[in-house]
Amino acid sequence: MAAEDCADATCKLNVRSVLLAMKGQEPDMHVDVDVPYLESFLGLTSSVFCFVPRGKSAWSSRFFQTFFAGCIPVLLNDRYEAPFGEFLDLPSSTIKWPATEVPELVSHLRQMHTETVHALRVGGRPFRCWYAWYPSTVEWSWIDLNRSKFNETCAHYHLQNAYVAVTQLLAPKATKSKLRFYGRGVIPR
């Protein structure tokens, strides 16, 4: 399908337009576009469900932000595979919904049992730190000042962070490589 054939809410594949068209129809649903970061984050922290539609890049910072905001991420991108799904039980904290069925999403979310919603929210808490990168030297001084708050959120940060996760995923690949060195005069083992 050509991009010009899918330019507004009449095209189910244009998830952002479909969501924006629902803006006036759902009184308790906050959907907007191009809002300042602080307003966006306040919207996340006051929400139960946070929509994560397809972005302009291969990853979505909104997905990571949802865990820190305490809302349940609802992935609206059929081709997006969330990072670290190889060892994190993402279905225990995340809803992945077909992009072509966004109009049916709100009624589905409203029918979810309170216990299920609570379990999804609680299920996302341990994943917060897995999506945080190890801080720089400058950031460590800030963390030292706020250690009690940071430790409450990420008690095992030294063992559970994005750097550790990437290392865990790449380590098996490095040990399976047949040709460790490339170049002129290098003899493969």
Side-chain angles (χ1 to χ4, degrees):
M1 174 180 295
E4 59 271 4
D5 296 335
C6 195
D8 59 20
T10 59
C11 176
K12 288 185 173 187
L13 295 175
N14 192 338
V15 174
R16 289 179 187 274
S17 294
V18 172
L19 288 171
L20 285 169
M22 297 166 71
K23 184 177 177 180
Q25 301 168 5
E26 302 294 338
D28 58 347
M29 194 167 120
H30 175 74
V31 177
D32 219 332
V33 65
D34 295 331
V35 295
Y37 176 81
L38 184 59
E39 183 182 335
S40 172
F41 193 74
L42 290 174
L44 293 174
T45 59
S46 63
S47 300
V48 175
F49 300 100
C50 293
F51 300 141
V52 184
R54 181 174 170 229
K56 296 176 182 173
S57 64
W59 56 277
S60 174
S61 61
R62 185 170 294 107
F63 176 69
F64 311 131
Q65 292 167 353
T66 61
F67 291 109
F68 285 94
C71 59
I72 300 165
V74 181
L75 294 174
L76 301 172
N77 182 347
D78 299 343
R79 294 186 178 146
Y80 182 73
E81 292 300 326
F84 316 139
E86 293 88 345
F87 58 88
L88 296 179
D89 180 20
L90 292 171
S92 69
S93 66
T94 307
I95 296 170
K96 189 168 183 182
W97 192 261
T100 57
E101 297 178 23
V102 170
E104 295 85 11
L105 174 61
V106 174
S107 63
H108 172 77
L109 296 177
R110 291 190 193 285
Q111 293 172 13
M112 288 180 73
H113 293 287
T114 308
E115 298 83 18
T116 304
V117 171
H118 178 73
L120 286 167
R121 281 186 118 161
V122 170
R125 289 181 190 149
F127 300 154
R128 290 175 178 171
C129 300
W130 283 109
Y131 293 111
W133 284 98
Y134 214 74
S136 69
T137 307
V138 174
E139 291 169 317
W140 268 121
S141 61
W142 180 85
I143 289 173
D144 283 337
L145 291 172
N146 295 285
R147 189 164 298 282
S148 61
K149 291 178 186 175
F150 189 74
N151 285 345
E152 187 178 306
T153 304
C154 297
H156 302 288
Y157 184 71
H158 61 291
L159 300 172
Q160 298 174 345
N161 61 62
Y163 178 78
V164 171
V166 168
T167 304
Q168 285 180 6
L169 293 174
L170 292 179
K173 294 177 183 186
T175 58
K176 291 179 182 175
S177 177
K178 291 180 182 177
L179 299 175
R180 294 197 180 271
F181 302 102
Y182 299 92
R184 191 175 297 180
V186 176
I187 300 171
R189 294 182 184 178

